[in-house]
Amino acid sequence: MAAEKLNNQQGRWWVMKMKRNKRFLIGMGALSVILMVLFIASSSVSAAMKEGSGTKKEGSGSKAYWGGYPPLGPLSQEQLSPEEVELGRLIFFDNRYSGDASDSCANCHVPEKGYSDGKQLSNGYPGTAHFRNAPSLLNANRQYEQMLNGTQNKCDTTTRTHMTSQMFMNADGRYIEERTRQIPEYYKRFQNLFGIKRTIYFGKIQRVLCKFVSTLTSSPSANAFDRFMTGDESALTAQQKKGMEVFKGRGKCIRCHNGSLVSDSKYYNIGVPDHPELSTNPTRQVGLRYENMIIGVPQWDKIISDLGRYMVTKEEKDKGAFRTPSLRELKYTGPYMHNGTLSTLEEIVEFYDQGGGPHPNKNAMIQPLGLLTSEKAALVAFLESMSSDSMPYADARPAKYGEQGYPYTIHEPFKKWVLKDPGHHYIEKAEEKIVIPSDYTGKVMPAGWWGNTDVIAAGKVLYQDGFDVKTKKGNIKRQKCAKCHGVSGRPKAKKARDFRVATTMNSYSDAHLFWRISEGVPKTKMKPWKDWLSEEQRWQLIAYIFDAFTNGGRAHTGE
């Protein structure tokens, strides 16, 4: 009976469990159907909202529209400090930031020439010549790496290198800091911006320069392509729209020229030939070999062509490779390629249509395209649509700049700051309030003693041979001025005054000098001499010091 009862209970438990499982499965199935319906509905609503938004051309923001590549579109605009930008702008146009004060950043990056210089190969610092052209600074700060072969990774590193390199501006950073301190307008602006109370660091100069360069960004409203991408169907002509299809399709441009910058920022060898001057102009060859040497390229002294990205990576596959340039503002930034060997957009399109140039390391993607004449013309028209309607930022040159606008002046801060660590750190020096005791007020050198040969001869004996003084223990000791201040006036003791600094010595009144030589100087080995030397001898010493060490005598007398 007990066994039968147990079997009945187990059977009922099993039936209940099966019913619960069935209800669970039915519930899960219903929930799946509901979630699927909600997903489909939300997708439809999202698509409808996107279709009706009117802010962007339909689908243009998707990778699918651009063949799976990052979509083209307007560049974002940075929020920058106007004060930093303005200071950077003044420095950008100021010749004093090159070693010999002959070149500014704007000499090679000319606003009226698209922030390039319009030359195939750029001039270098006086006495040098570069082996590449000056790349445009328009949108340059949006690149992941700087320079055509990516030798610099940030804007401030690039500006520092350009300012100090022998090939560009050949300036010492510490010297540039000092020049900047001596320009009151700049000094004041740096103080206001950064709260500088000690020094103007070279890095801060690079910072403000980069803030100015960051403003040189293509405006979405200033070019036809961006206006088209934000909903203005009439912004592009029929030919330009056809060119966009060639760009995405048969021209295969989109493979490397994609994203808002219209560059993938990668490095490719497309077979651009060396500029003829590299083999005929010794000065350009010097520049090329020097650059290879300082970067550490193997066998740099045997190189006669521009190795591009290889200079950075030292990998064979990167020989002759250069960064994909942005296609924005092309109308204003020719000639093209890293060495200016192509002069027009038509030449560029033809170069790619032919499959680039001959080079053993050319990228496999570069193949003949076989474009029709009408397709080439349409592609050129489309490329031009990514340039501003007029030369961008051509009016950036300040009305007042450089030494004529903001001249050098030795201004107030330099009277109350003292150098602690040459070239870098300045510490505040408390202003000395010197109160001459009443016993010495009004003391002046006896009439006719300045420059008197007899007085000077007597002072020389006291200075070099010394005089006897009595120590605290009652011993007699020979005291010599020359022991601490040197026979030449150059100090030997740590806190001894340098008598050779005429401007400092002449700033003291006669009364001040007589007081110090009589009473000594606290916290130094300079002891009071009034007990050992007569008033006449003390004046003789002073007369000798000025005659021997301060360019022939006293330039200031009185209180």
Side-chain angles (χ1 to χ4, degrees):
M1 292 293 291
E4 184 178 349
K5 184 178 181 180
L6 179 61
N7 288 335
N8 289 336
Q9 287 175 346
Q10 288 177 340
R12 285 195 299 270
W13 176 84
W14 179 254
V15 170
M16 291 174 65
K17 181 177 180 182
M18 291 297 293
K19 287 181 178 180
R20 283 196 299 269
N21 286 345
K22 186 176 181 180
R23 286 195 297 270
F24 174 76
L25 290 172
I26 292 170
M28 288 300 295
L31 179 61
S32 299
V33 171
I34 292 169
L35 289 174
M36 182 65 72
V37 170
L38 289 173
F39 175 76
I40 294 170
S42 65
S43 299
S44 300
V45 171
S46 175
M49 289 176 65
K50 185 179 288 187
E51 184 176 353
S53 65
T55 58
K56 223 177 210 187
K57 191 175 183 301
E58 181 181 353
S60 64
S62 68
K63 283 190 174 182
Y65 184 84
W66 295 101
Y69 295 97
L72 278 64
L75 286 164
S76 60
Q77 305 296 300
E78 284 189 75
Q79 296 298 314
L80 300 165
S81 160
E83 293 78 15
E84 288 188 68
V85 169
E86 180 59 20
L87 180 52
R89 183 167 77 117
L90 293 176
I91 291 174
F92 185 87
F93 290 94
D94 197 325
N95 287 356
R96 289 171 288 186
Y97 286 84
S98 64
D100 66 352
S102 66
D103 289 333
S104 70
C105 305
N107 280 46
C108 291
H109 301 284
V110 186
E112 298 81 5
K113 296 182 179 179
Y115 288 85
S116 180
D117 60 5
K119 300 174 181 177
Q120 290 186 328
L121 298 177
S122 178
N123 296 335
Y125 186 76
T128 72
H130 211 274
F131 50 92
R132 294 186 194 137
N133 66 5
S136 170
L137 296 185
L138 296 173
N139 303 307
N141 209 22
R142 301 306 179 91
Q143 291 283 4
Y144 298 120
E145 293 173 316
Q146 304 293 318
M147 307 298 286
L148 295 168
N149 60 346
T151 52
Q152 311 296 330
N153 59 359
K154 290 192 302 183
C155 176
D156 55 357
T157 307
T158 308
T159 55
R160 181 192 66 204
T161 300
H162 277 61
M163 204 171 277
T164 58
S165 170
Q166 287 83 352
M167 291 286 292
F168 296 110
M169 299 176 80
N170 199 24
D172 185 285
R174 295 160 296 182
Y175 196 82
I176 292 300
E177 286 178 357
E178 187 57 41
R179 273 186 179 169
T180 305
R181 290 188 198 102
Q182 299 285 8
I183 306 170
E185 179 65 25
Y186 295 180
Y187 188 85
K188 179 181 70 177
R189 290 180 186 237
F190 273 107
Q191 284 183 315
N192 292 340
L193 276 171
F194 305 113
I196 290 171
K197 293 184 178 179
R198 294 181 300 172
T199 189
I200 297 171
Y201 290 105
F202 195 42
K204 296 296 185 187
I205 296 172
Q206 314 314 315
R207 175 189 169 96
V208 296
L209 272 172
C210 288
K211 295 301 180 184
F212 170 68
V213 172
S214 293
T215 65
L216 306 177
T217 301
S218 296
S219 170
S221 62
N223 66 85
F225 174 71
D226 284 342
R227 292 196 294 269
F228 175 78
M229 292 300 292
T230 52
D232 183 358
E233 284 286 338
S234 64
L236 293 184
T237 65
Q239 186 186 37
Q240 289 171 332
K241 290 176 183 177
K242 178 182 176 182
M244 184 165 66
E245 294 307 313
V246 176
F247 183 91
K248 293 190 296 177
R250 279 171 45 78
K252 302 179 181 179
C253 314
I254 189 66
R255 293 186 298 181
C256 301
H257 295 282
N258 49 59
S260 297
L261 193 60
V262 204
S263 166
D264 63 3
S265 297
K266 296 178 181 178
Y267 300 86
Y268 304 96
N269 184 324
I270 60 173
V272 176
D274 279 331
H275 195 285
E277 271 201 56
L278 276 190
S279 58
T280 60
N281 186 327
T283 309
R284 297 202 189 278
Q285 190 60 222
V286 168
L288 175 67
R289 295 191 185 190
Y290 167 76
E291 192 79 6
N292 280 287
M293 177 189 68
I294 63 173
I295 291 178
V297 175
Q299 297 185 319
W300 57 267
D301 57 332
K302 297 178 175 62
I303 294 169
I304 59 172
S305 63
D306 192 343
L307 297 178
R309 183 64 173 169
Y310 175 83
M311 296 170 70
V312 180
T313 66
K314 316 298 188 297
E315 296 181 14
E316 284 293 320
K317 67 181 181 64
D318 289 327
K319 280 187 175 179
F322 293 89
R323 190 188 64 232
T324 305
S326 170
L327 299 185
R328 290 186 172 275
E329 311 299 353
L330 285 179
K331 280 168 59 175
Y332 310 113
T333 57
Y336 307 102
M337 304 304 177
H338 64 275
N339 55 11
T341 48
L342 300 179
S343 301
T344 66
L345 296 181
E346 286 79 7
E347 288 182 12
I348 292 177
V349 171
E350 187 62 35
F351 178 80
Y352 278 103
D353 188 52
Q354 296 297 320
H359 196 288
N361 210 29
K362 187 170 67 175
N363 192 283
M365 287 195 301
I366 308 301
Q367 299 291 336
L369 300 173
L371 296 178
L372 301 174
T373 302
S374 61
E375 289 176 315
K376 294 177 189 178
L379 184 54
V380 169
F382 173 64
L383 293 176
E384 289 177 338
S385 77
M386 288 187 274
S387 295
S388 297
D389 301 329
S390 59
M391 181 80 74
Y393 307 105
D395 58 351
R397 195 179 297 272
K400 185 171 74 168
Y401 64 92
E403 191 167 1
Q404 288 187 339
Y406 299 101
Y408 287 124
T409 307
I410 299 179
H411 55 95
E412 190 61 29
F414 295 93
K415 295 181 181 177
K416 55 185 179 183
W417 296 81
V418 61
L419 183 65
K420 182 181 181 183
D421 177 18
H424 284 282
H425 301 290
Y426 281 72
I427 58 173
E428 190 168 11
K429 180 182 179 183
E431 291 186 17
E432 276 187 284
K433 293 186 177 180
I434 300 172
V435 179
I436 300 173
S438 58
D439 292 350
Y440 295 95
T441 303
K443 290 281 188 179
V444 293
M445 179 72 76
W449 277 35
W450 287 119
N452 185 295
T453 54
D454 294 332
V455 173
I456 291 167
K460 181 178 181 179
V461 172
L462 291 169
Y463 185 90
Q464 294 186 358
D465 297 342
F467 47 89
D468 292 333
V469 300
K470 186 180 287 187
T471 66
K472 290 181 180 180
K473 295 181 180 181
N475 300 321
I476 301 299
K477 181 181 178 181
R478 196 73 173 172
Q479 183 71 53
K480 295 181 180 180
C481 305
K483 182 178 180 181
C484 293
H485 293 280
V487 174
S488 66
R490 179 180 182 180
K492 292 183 176 180
K494 186 175 180 180
K495 294 185 179 180
R497 177 72 66 192
D498 190 337
F499 291 150
R500 299 168 303 165
V501 184
T503 54
T504 301
M505 295 299 292
N506 281 316
S507 68
Y508 299 126
S509 66
D510 289 10
H512 185 127
L513 293 165
F514 190 73
W515 163 50
R516 283 305 190 195
I517 206 170
S518 301
E519 301 290 347
V521 180
K523 299 181 182 180
T524 71
K525 293 182 179 181
M526 175 67 183
K527 305 303 180 185
W529 290 353
K530 63 181 181 181
D531 297 331
W532 316 110
L533 295 177
S534 66
E535 182 172 331
E536 181 180 273
Q537 289 174 314
R538 280 174 267 162
W539 285 121
Q540 289 170 347
L541 262 174
I542 293 171
Y544 168 71
I545 289 168
F546 274 89
D547 182 81
F549 309 128
T550 59
N551 299 322
R554 185 73 156 142
H556 170 77
T557 57
E559 289 303 312

